[in-house]
Amino acid sequence: MKYWTPELLAPAGSLDKLKVAVNYGANAVYLGGQKFGLRSAAENFTVEQIKEGVEYAHSKGSLVYVVLNSFFHDKDFDGLYEFIVYLDEVGVDAVIVSDPGVIEFISQNTKLEIHLSTQASCLNVEAAKMWKKLGVTRIVLGREVTIKDAGIIKKEADIEIEMFVHGSMCMAFSGNCVISNYTQGRDSNRGGCAHSCRFEYKLEGADMEAKNSFFMSSKDLEGIRVLQEFIDAGIDSLKVEGRMKSYLYAGTISKVYSDALSYYRDNGNFLSDDLERWEAELNKVTHRAYTEASLINPADADSIYSDREHEIKEYAATGAVLEAVENQFLLVEVKSAFNVGDQLEVLPFKGPSVTFNVDFIKNVLGEDLQRSNPGSIVKIPFVVGIDGNNLLRRKVLQ
Amino acid sequence: MKLISYVDNLKDLELLKSAGYSEGILAPSLLSKVGILKIDDLNKLAQEMREQGIRPILEWDILMTETDFTEVKKHLMRIEFPLFDAIRIQDPGAVSYVQDNFAHLEIQLILESGAYHNYRSIEVWKKLLGPRLKRVILSLELNKETIKEYIEKLELEIEFLGVGRILLFYTPRKLVTPLFEEQKREYYQVHEIPVEVSASSEESAHKGFPVVENVHGTFMFNTKDHFVLEYLNELTEIGLDFLRIDVRHLEDKSILDKISKLNNNFSADQAQEIKSDYPVSVIRGFFHVNKSDVLFKKLKNQRIVRQDDNFIGEVIDVNKKNYIALIIKGAGISLTVGDELLLLTPDGREKKVKINFLRNSQLVDIELATSGDIVLIPHVSAISVKTMVYKFSS
C-alpha cells in the first residue's frame, strides 16, 4: 500500500535549476518568464525555455506552473495575451496570479488553471470562498496561516491549498510591503524588492534605550518536522521558496523533502532514522537560522533573525557533474575552487550523499592541475554511482 | 470634492463639525490597523455623529487569519451596526462576511494595498459586489492621470489620501516589544498598549521611519507624509469625490479646518502655507508619475539573457589558444563542423568563429553535437565563460 502525500513544488529560477529540481524529486516546479513575475533579477525563462522546461518536466512526470504574480498596472497588460496563449499552447499546468484583473483576463482567454499567489495574502475561509468565485482552483495561503487553519480553509472552502514548507520569508503580509517603492524607487510588488527588511535599524523612543536590531528580518522557514501535520490537514502542495537561490539549494531541498515524502508513501509515518539526516542535509545549504514560523502557532519573537551578518554556510556548492565517463573521470563544471586532496560530497538523486577524495584534477586536455578555478571544467576521479547532473559540495570553515 | 477624516473622540468630532466635514471614520482597535477606539466608545461616537449630521463610517482594515477572524466575529455583536452608514474593508474575507451579514451597510473597498493598480482588477470587484460597492479607496501608487481615468470610467465614488502617513509595511508579528527588557515587555503586551518608535538604518538614506506595534502586529510608515494639497484644485477638476485627511498622528489637528477652507476656496499660497506649517516632512509620492519599474532592466545583465532564435548554448570553459568548451542547450538544434557561430560576451562584445573542429570531453573528434553535449571548439580571443553562443545567419 502506498500512502498519499502532498505535491512537492520547487523553485526553478532557470532552465538548469528546473532540471536540477525535477531530477532531485520535485513533483512540480514554478518559474517566471521575462515579465510579469516578482524576481526581476533572476535569470528567468524565455518563451522557448518555458517550452523546453515543460517538455523536460513532463517527460519526468513533473508539472510546471508559471508565475504571473506581479501587481499589474494598466500598461503591464501589454503582451500578456500573447504570453498566456503561448503558455496554454505549450502545456503549462497552471499559472500563479495575485491580481483579480489578471485572473479574469486569463479565464476569458485561455483554459489555464489559475492558482492564487501568496501575494494576495489569502488568510481565511471567507476570503478563500471569494477567490474561488473568481475562478481560482488553488490558493497559496499567506505564510501567517497555521496548518490547522489551512485544513479548515481547505475543508470549508472546498479548494486546493498550497503552503510554503521551506525557504526565506517576508516579514510583512505578502503584497503589503512597499518599502522599496518609497525608499529605492523600485516597486517591490513588480519585482524590485530591495530587501530593506534585512537591514539593521537603530530603534529609538517609547522610553527605550536606543538599540540596533535586525528587527524586521525573519528567520527562514523549515517544515521538515511538521510534514505529518501537513498530511493530516490534507494540504495539497508544499512549496519551497527560492527562485533566486543556487543549484545546490534547488537540488538539496528538493531531494530532502522528496526523500521524506517518499518514506511516508511507503511507511505511512515519518518515524525514520533518516529524520536527523534530512535535517542535517537542510543545514548544508546556505540559510538563516530556521523557524517553523506560523506553521503550528503564530510566529513569535523567536522567529526574528537578529544576526543577519552570520548567515549559516556549512557547505559550498562546488560544481555539477556534466559527464560521468565510467572508470575514467567525472567531468565537472566548477562553481567554487577546490584542490587536489580535498574531500568532496556528491548528492545522488536517491539515497545518502557520497564522500570522496579528489586524487587528481586535470583540465580537459588532460593536463594536471593542483587547483580548480570557478568558471572552468575539469576532470576528477570517477566515483561509482554518480550520474551526470549530480551536484557536488564541499564543507567550508565557518 | 468632500473631505473626510477620523474621529477618535468628541473633540475630533467637534473639529470635523465646525470645519464642515460630512463624514467621519471610526476606527475600533478590534478591527482597524491603528485604530484605538474601544467598542463602547465607538458606539457612543457613532450615535453622536448621527445626531450631529455627520455620516459615521466604520473601518475594518485589518487582515485576519482564520483564527483571528473567528475571534473577531465573537466581538462583532457588540458593535451597533445600524448606527453606521458604511464600512471600509480591505480583507476579501471581511468583504464577503459583510456582504452576507450586514445588508444595510454600503461597502467602501480599500484598494490601497494589494493587486489593485489596474482598471480591470477594480472592475472585477465592482462586478462581484454589485450595487453594495459604493466607493473604492485608490492606491497611492496611482498617478493623477490614472485617477482621472478611473473617475471617468468607474461610476463609483473614488477616495484618495490627501494628507497622512504612508503605510510601508504591515506584519502580524510583534517586532518592537521583544526588544524591551522583560518586565516592560510584559507590561506593554499584557495591557495591549500600542508603542511607537523611530527606526533608522545606515543602509538607507531615509532616517526616522515611524514604527507602531499594537495588538494587530507591527506597522512601519514612511519618513515623510503624503501631501497633495497643492493640487487640490486639480483633484476637484478631475472629479475626485473624497479626499481623506488622516492626521491622527499629529498633536495639533487644527489643520483640518485650514484644509476645509482651502477646499472651499483654493489658493496656491494658502496650500503652500499649510505645507510649510505641517510638522512632518512631506512628499507627493507617485501623484505625478510612477516610474518604479524603470530600474528593473538594470537589475540583471541583459546580454546573458538568452535570445531564442538560433541559440546553441553557453561557454563553460576557455583554455587560451587551445579551445572553448560549450554546453549545447538549444533544444532540437545541432552543431556540425563547418558551422559559423556568433558569440555574445557578457560585457557586450560580439565574435564570429567558424567551427573547423568539434571534440568531445575525451578529445575525440566528432562531426555532430546535439542538446546536452559538451564540446570543444577552436579558441577565439576575448571570449569568457557565460558567453552566449548562436548559430550565425547572415
Side-chain angles (χ1 to χ4, degrees):
Chain A
M1 177 183 170
K2 287 280 185 184
Y3 293 87
W4 175 85
T5 56
E7 166 189 271
L8 175 62
L9 173 59
S14 67
L15 185 53
D16 291 338
K17 289 177 194 171
L18 176 149
K19 291 175 181 175
V20 167
V22 166
N23 286 330
Y24 279 102
N27 307 115
V29 291
Y30 62 100
L31 58 90
Q34 294 298 321
K35 282 173 72 179
F36 311 122
L38 285 180
R39 297 288 181 270
S40 291
E43 188 177 337
N44 291 323
F45 285 63
T46 65
V47 288
E48 190 59 34
Q49 284 174 312
I50 292 173
K51 186 174 174 224
E52 283 178 46
V54 169
E55 286 168 358
Y56 187 85
H58 285 180
S59 75
K60 304 268 182 182
S62 298
L63 304 177
V64 174
Y65 309 144
V66 174
V67 293
L68 300 165
N69 59 346
S70 80
F71 287 2
F72 281 58
H73 290 229
D74 290 305
K75 69 182 171 66
D76 297 327
F77 281 83
D78 293 348
L80 180 63
Y81 175 80
E82 292 77 7
F83 189 59
I84 58 174
V85 167
Y86 181 83
L87 297 183
D88 207 3
E89 280 171 7
V90 301
V92 162
D93 299 285
V95 286
I96 305 169
V97 185
S98 57
D99 186 313
V102 178
I103 291 170
E104 186 185 67
F105 187 80
I106 293 169
S107 300
Q108 288 170 345
N109 291 290
T110 71
K111 292 190 169 64
L112 286 163
E113 282 217 20
I114 301 171
H115 298 175
L116 183 72
S117 167
T118 195
Q119 278 287 99
S121 272
C122 180
L123 305 168
N124 53 61
V125 172
E126 296 282 351
K129 287 179 180 171
M130 195 68 130
W131 289 108
K132 188 179 172 185
K133 273 189 210 168
L134 292 178
V136 305
T137 56
R138 177 188 289 189
I139 291 174
V140 188
L141 291 174
R143 278 171 267 209
E144 296 75 18
V145 178
T146 61
I147 298 172
K148 188 179 167 200
D149 275 359
I152 294 169
I153 294 169
K154 176 177 172 59
K155 193 174 166 195
E156 294 193 16
D158 189 22
I159 194 163
E160 282 186 26
I161 295 294
E162 181 177 309
M163 292 184 80
F164 280 91
V165 68
H166 196 96
S168 299
M169 297 183 70
C170 285
M171 181 62 90
F173 282 116
S174 290
N176 284 267
C177 176
V178 289
I179 302 175
S180 305
N181 306 46
Y182 283 92
T183 61
Q184 314 264 345
R186 286 162 45 173
D187 190 340
S188 52
N189 295 306
R190 283 191 288 173
C193 175
H195 304 284
S196 309
C197 57
R198 303 294 181 188
F199 294 172
E200 185 180 36
Y201 290 87
K202 181 180 182 183
L203 297 178
E204 297 171 279
D207 310 326
M208 72 185 280
E209 277 181 42
K211 200 168 264 184
N212 285 349
S213 171
F214 297 95
F215 78 115
M216 288 201 294
S217 182
S218 177
K219 288 179 182 174
D220 286 354
L221 179 66
E222 184 192 59
I224 191 76
R225 281 194 173 264
V226 294
L227 291 176
Q228 183 70 57
E229 281 79 357
F230 282 114
I231 289 170
D232 292 345
I235 305 308
D236 298 278
S237 179
L238 303 181
K239 183 174 212 159
V240 176
E241 178 278 343
R243 281 193 289 136
M244 295 286 283
K245 291 183 176 162
S246 68
Y247 300 84
L248 186 60
Y249 174 90
T252 307
I253 308 296
S254 298
K255 177 179 165 53
V256 170
Y257 282 96
S258 171
D259 282 354
L261 293 170
S262 173
Y263 181 90
Y264 185 89
R265 278 193 293 277
D266 291 338
N267 298 284
N269 64 61
F270 289 101
L271 305 173
S272 169
D273 294 340
D274 286 332
L275 183 57
E276 284 184 11
R277 181 174 66 79
W278 295 329
E279 282 191 304
E281 286 292 320
L282 295 176
N283 284 327
K284 289 181 180 178
V285 294
T286 305
H287 63 282
R288 302 177 189 92
Y290 286 130
T291 173
E292 285 174 3
S294 297
L295 292 177
I296 302 300
N297 294 303
D300 58 14
D302 188 48
S303 66
I304 301 168
Y305 186 50
S306 54
D307 201 12
R308 186 195 64 169
E309 299 305 316
H310 296 91
E311 202 167 65
I312 301 157
K313 184 176 184 177
E314 284 185 24
Y315 282 74
T318 309
V321 177
L322 297 171
E323 292 177 351
V325 180
E326 198 164 349
N327 297 324
Q328 292 187 48
F329 60 83
L330 301 176
L331 185 68
V332 171
E333 183 178 14
V334 181
K335 303 282 187 193
S336 69
F338 58 90
N339 299 312
V340 171
D342 281 353
Q343 211 170 49
L344 300 186
E345 273 187 31
V346 65
L347 204 62
F349 296 137
K350 294 283 174 200
S353 57
V354 177
T355 304
F356 65 97
N357 287 318
V358 180
D359 293 334
F360 67 79
I361 303 174
K362 295 176 189 292
N363 67 15
V364 177
L365 297 176
E367 297 165 343
D368 281 318
L369 305 171
Q370 281 305 304
R371 181 179 174 80
S372 68
N373 288 318
S376 67
I377 55 175
V378 296
K379 295 173 178 175
I380 62 172
F382 177 76
V383 180
V384 175
I386 304 306
D387 293 315
N389 297 319
N390 278 171
L391 300 176
L392 297 169
R393 66 190 175 199
R394 183 171 58 89
K395 194 167 176 55
V396 291
L397 295 175
Q398 282 282 2
Chain B
M1 183 169 65
K2 291 176 182 169
L3 300 175
I4 57 171
S5 191
Y6 284 82
V7 176
D8 279 345
N9 49 49
L10 286 171
K11 196 176 165 196
D12 289 346
L13 179 54
E14 278 170 33
L15 267 172
L16 256 60
K17 172 101 175 147
S18 64
Y21 285 56
S22 58
E23 281 186 8
I25 305 166
L26 293 165
S29 57
L30 175 70
L31 305 175
S32 172
K33 285 172 186 158
V34 288
I36 57 168
L37 288 173
K38 301 297 172 203
I39 291 179
D40 287 347
D41 297 332
L42 173 84
N43 291 331
K44 281 180 199 157
L45 278 170
Q47 181 65 45
E48 191 66 32
M49 287 169 75
R50 293 200 80 78
E51 287 168 9
Q52 299 208 25
I54 296 179
R55 298 181 78 215
I57 312 298
L58 179 63
E59 183 165 85
W60 185 356
D61 66 347
I62 53 168
L63 300 176
M64 298 160 295
T65 63
E66 184 58 26
T67 298
D68 294 338
F69 202 171
T70 304
E71 190 59 30
V72 161
K73 284 179 203 168
K74 290 180 193 165
H75 299 280
L76 286 180
M77 64 184 74
R78 292 175 52 218
I79 296 176
E80 292 179 31
F81 281 92
L83 291 173
F84 295 91
D85 284 351
I87 186 163
R88 311 161 61 82
I89 335 175
Q90 179 180 348
D91 190 318
V95 175
S96 173
Y97 188 79
V98 166
Q99 243 194 330
D100 293 344
N101 292 280
F102 302 106
H104 80 285
L105 282 176
E106 291 178 4
I107 292 176
Q108 301 179 358
L109 195 59
I110 300 170
L111 303 180
E112 289 181 316
S113 301
Y116 310 113
H117 301 90
N118 62 77
Y119 183 74
R120 286 174 190 277
S121 68
I122 304 173
E123 271 279 308
V124 169
W125 277 117
K126 193 177 159 187
K127 276 187 260 179
L128 200 64
L129 299 181
R132 292 290 303 277
L133 180 61
K134 290 288 180 196
R135 182 184 306 179
V136 288
I137 296 124
L138 294 182
S139 164
L140 301 184
E141 291 166 58
L142 301 179
N143 63 36
K144 67 179 175 189
E145 288 306 316
T146 309
I147 296 168
K148 179 171 182 263
E149 182 192 334
Y150 291 2
I151 289 168
E152 288 166 359
K153 288 161 68 178
L154 270 172
E155 294 177 351
L156 288 170
E157 293 175 356
I158 306 285
E159 178 189 314
F160 191 66
L161 178 66
V163 179
R165 277 181 165 174
I166 300 168
L167 180 61
L168 299 183
F169 172 96
Y170 170 22
T171 178
R173 300 195 219 179
K174 290 181 168 48
L175 305 182
V176 178
T177 49
L179 298 170
F180 291 174
E181 49 95 7
E182 194 178 341
Q183 204 176 357
K184 187 174 169 186
R185 178 173 66 244
E186 275 181 18
Y187 177 76
Y188 272 84
Q189 290 184 348
V190 168
H191 296 283
E192 298 185 347
I193 299 169
V195 56
E196 178 164 343
V197 295
S198 164
S200 302
S201 174
E202 293 293 323
E203 297 168 82
S204 170
H206 308 263
K207 306 294 176 201
F209 295 95
V211 177
V212 173
E213 182 194 295
N214 63 23
V215 289
H216 299 304
T218 308
F219 305 85
M220 180 195 257
F221 297 91
N222 197 25
T223 53
K224 297 179 179 178
D225 282 7
H226 196 252
F227 191 99
V228 292
L229 295 184
E230 303 103 302
Y231 314 104
L232 214 59
N233 56 338
E234 289 183 44
L235 290 166
T236 305
E237 277 169 24
I238 65 175
L240 183 72
D241 301 289
F242 292 91
L243 190 71
R244 186 170 84 259
I245 312 298
D246 181 1
V247 290
R248 286 176 288 173
H249 57 301
L250 302 185
E251 296 248 328
D252 179 5
K253 293 175 184 165
S254 59
I255 187 176
L256 290 168
D257 187 49
K258 291 175 190 166
I259 296 170
S260 178
K261 286 177 179 144
L262 186 71
N263 190 39
N264 292 333
N265 186 15
F266 181 78
S267 135
D269 290 344
Q270 188 62 32
Q272 194 56 47
E273 194 179 318
I274 296 173
K275 187 176 175 181
S276 304
D277 291 345
Y278 195 75
V280 180
S281 298
V282 295
I283 53 168
R284 61 174 177 259
F286 300 106
F287 185 68
H288 280 167
V289 64
N290 185 337
K291 290 184 175 177
S292 57
D293 60 341
V294 296
L295 288 172
F296 293 173
K297 282 189 177 168
K298 294 179 183 170
L299 293 180
K300 66 182 170 192
N301 185 348
Q302 296 297 318
R303 296 186 189 103
I304 58 172
V305 175
R306 159 181 157 178
Q307 307 302 311
D308 285 331
D309 287 344
N310 298 318
F311 177 70
I312 290 280
E314 190 181 318
V315 173
I316 54 173
D317 191 17
V318 177
N319 191 308
K320 205 171 176 182
K321 295 186 179 169
N322 287 309
Y323 63 82
I324 290 172
L326 309 180
I327 181 163
I328 312 283
K329 289 184 168 180
I333 198 155
S334 59
L335 188 60
T336 57
V337 174
D339 281 345
E340 275 194 291
L341 301 181
L342 177 65
L343 295 96
L344 300 181
T345 69
D347 58 0
R349 275 179 279 205
E350 290 188 12
K351 292 271 182 174
K352 290 191 191 99
V353 58
K354 185 163 184 173
I355 303 298
N356 54 27
F357 71 79
L358 265 182
R359 290 185 188 127
N360 67 15
S361 62
Q362 295 169 78
L363 305 179
V364 175
D365 282 315
I366 54 175
E367 288 297 318
L368 177 76
T370 56
S371 188
D373 289 347
I374 288 103
V375 292
L376 310 183
I377 64 168
H379 180 259
V380 188
S381 62
I383 295 300
S384 61
V385 168
K386 289 198 179 295
T387 291
M388 306 301 274
V389 182
Y390 298 87
K391 210 169 234 186
F392 179 71
S393 63
S394 53

